Amino acid sequence: MTISSPAPATHTAARAPSRRDFLWQSGGGLGGIALSHLLDTQRLPAADDSGVLSGQLHHRPRAKRVIQLFMAGAASHVDLFDHKPALEKHHGTSSDFGEPVEAFQNGLGPWMKSPFAFRPYGECGKMLSHPVRSLGRVADEMAFIHSMVGKTGVHSQATLLQATGFQRPGFPGAGAWVSYALGSEADNLPSFVVLPDHRGFASNGPKNWDTAFLPAQHQGTIIRPGLPNPISDLRADRNSFVTDEGDREGLNLLRTLNRKHQQANQSDSRLEARIRSYELAAQLQLAAPEALDINGEPRHVLKLYGLDHQPETFPSQINVPEEINYFGRKCLVARRLLERGVRFVQIWSGCDNGFPRRNWDSHEDISRDHGPLAEGMAVGTAGLIADLKQRGLLDDTIILWTTEFGRMPSTQGTKGRDHNPYVFTNWLAGGGIKGGTTYGPSDQWGYKPADRNNPTHVYDVHATILHLLGIDHEQLTVRHNGIDRRLTDVHGHVIHDILA
């Protein structure tokens, strides 16, 4: 199904009033009518948030919601999920890749085994490293792809590629595409929610979940669980001069100004989206506190996510208790949001570069950074998978774990690893995924795919996720600047080998 942007309206001074004119003059447009009703009566109407494919999917879906776990900074596949006995055997010897290698920095030192021990888990016998051992109890739910390849070793471009399908700004995030296609199942929560790292944004910040040329209401809504103000600007600070009555008067003024502006700019859809955002904000004021409040969760559920003991303070450097606390909380909140109808939740681990390290970009010391980050991620993620399964939600929820690229099997310095865009790992679990499987191995070193003629691209992962949602990735397009744009650009194949 091809969706084209509407042609701009033309205006003349003498034309007869349209139905849209009448609606605006009598109440501020469709969004304005809803906002006026909301402000005047304080009742919460349900907006029409159906997607462009609602009721007309391309085929029967296997899932209806997605969680994306994004490890910012480039998580090392050979230290987490892609066990390499050859690195253990040849540790410390001169690395020989058999071809010229373009390194990002100076990371072509000797072969380096992982500082973490690996052992098999689950009936599938999947080899996992010690920091991600918590995932061992759900290994049979997971499908690993060890042949992922990127296009660049630059963090910002590579992050955009995994988040939007393009390595330059100006394209919608995957969650925005899903929201646009399927719409929202909730009247009082956004369809696409982003839970960033508590320390800050990853490379590109909000460009990773922007809507670009899609309608603005499909952009990711940022929520920071565990912070005093988890949704910025939703409420005035308790100590500020703003009162509830003053807030309502301010919104009334905005409604009047919006109405006048829209009358003069009827071809601009951005204001309609802004009005809907005000409407959603008012609904969030009531719905969000309940959705984000985990205090009512029973102790055994909190324990699943590692939240049964929550320290009040943490060291300044990356540490295990802090990673478990924040990542586990985001995973639990993600489950609560999905239960309430949110369509796509994106969870981030790690932020942009800084010192001491605050992300997975372990140029100096894999053990120092990856150990705590991986353990925190694994505890929360394992709890999420187990919790979704016990509630019957895993059957129609897709979980995607990704990062912007991998890390080299050779040494940088004495304990770090350089960037490796030539191969890395993704894994999926949940609705329609064949658990306990491994697809597309990397070579003996973890340097490139074992089959260099058949690598796996992000387009293939996105095509597979859309397929499981009932969407043909080649048919979900939007014409922009004369080009039929889609999430998978002009590429992508469904990975049938990992489908149940």
Side-chain angles (χ1 to χ4, degrees), residues 222-476:
I222 300 168
I223 298 178
R224 295 179 172 88
L227 298 187
N229 187 21
I231 305 177
S232 298
D233 304 320
L234 185 60
R235 294 180 183 275
D237 187 89
R238 292 179 180 179
N239 298 321
S240 78
F241 63 89
V242 178
T243 64
D244 290 342
E245 181 181 0
D247 194 35
R248 285 194 297 271
E249 290 298 321
L251 289 173
N252 272 316
L253 175 60
L254 282 174
R255 180 189 62 184
T256 301
L257 296 174
N258 287 341
R259 183 188 305 144
K260 291 180 178 179
H261 180 77
Q262 186 70 16
Q263 286 174 330
N265 299 273
Q266 295 185 37
S267 64
D268 191 342
S269 67
R270 292 174 297 177
L271 184 57
E272 196 80 34
R274 179 60 58 84
I275 291 172
R276 292 181 68 178
S277 74
Y278 291 149
E279 183 179 290
L280 179 60
Q283 296 165 346
L284 274 171
Q285 286 181 340
L286 297 181
E290 186 274 334
L292 303 180
D293 184 7
I294 66 171
N295 291 324
E297 294 283 348
R299 184 173 177 81
H300 72 276
V301 170
L302 294 174
K303 188 175 182 179
L304 272 179
Y305 294 87
L307 299 175
D308 48 331
H309 299 290
Q310 301 183 47
E312 295 183 359
T313 60
F314 303 101
S316 59
Q317 292 191 336
I318 293 175
N319 61 91
V320 172
E322 183 176 8
E323 299 309 314
I324 291 177
N325 180 278
Y326 280 99
F327 199 85
R329 181 182 293 270
K330 285 184 286 192
C331 287
L332 177 51
V333 166
R335 188 220 80 201
R336 293 175 63 84
L337 292 171
L338 294 181
E339 287 179 315
R340 288 155 178 80
V342 173
R343 185 74 71 177
F344 196 109
V345 179
Q346 191 176 66
I347 302 176
W348 291 81
S349 170
C351 61
D352 213 348
N353 276 327
F355 293 95
R357 288 286 180 190
R358 305 174 299 169
N359 62 14
W360 298 77
D361 196 19
S362 298
H363 287 278
E364 305 86 15
D365 191 334
I366 285 286
S367 180
R368 179 196 67 192
D369 307 330
H370 272 54
L373 286 167
E375 186 163 345
M377 175 277 296
V379 169
T381 302
L384 175 63
I385 294 174
D387 200 10
L388 289 174
K389 186 172 183 179
Q390 72 183 2
R391 294 167 187 271
L393 292 172
L394 188 61
D395 291 340
D396 56 8
T397 301
I398 303 166
I399 301 175
L400 166 65
W401 185 97
T402 191
T403 187
E404 61 260 47
F405 41 72
R407 307 205 76 86
M408 294 296 287
S410 51
T411 310
Q412 180 174 4
T414 58
K415 297 183 288 184
R417 297 192 193 274
D418 204 352
H419 299 177
N420 182 7
Y422 310 115
V423 80
F424 57 103
T425 292
N426 277 191
W427 60 257
L428 296 97
I433 296 296
K434 185 193 300 182
T437 60
T438 297
Y439 172 82
S442 62
D443 63 22
Q444 65 173 333
W445 309 111
Y447 163 56
K448 284 188 175 180
D451 183 355
R452 297 190 181 187
N453 294 322
N454 292 287
T456 307
H457 297 271
V458 65
Y459 314 112
D460 305 320
V461 174
H462 286 163
T464 302
I465 290 173
L466 292 180
H467 174 80
L468 291 170
L469 293 171
I471 301 169
D472 183 336
H473 72 101
E474 294 183 347
Q475 295 186 48
L476 178 63

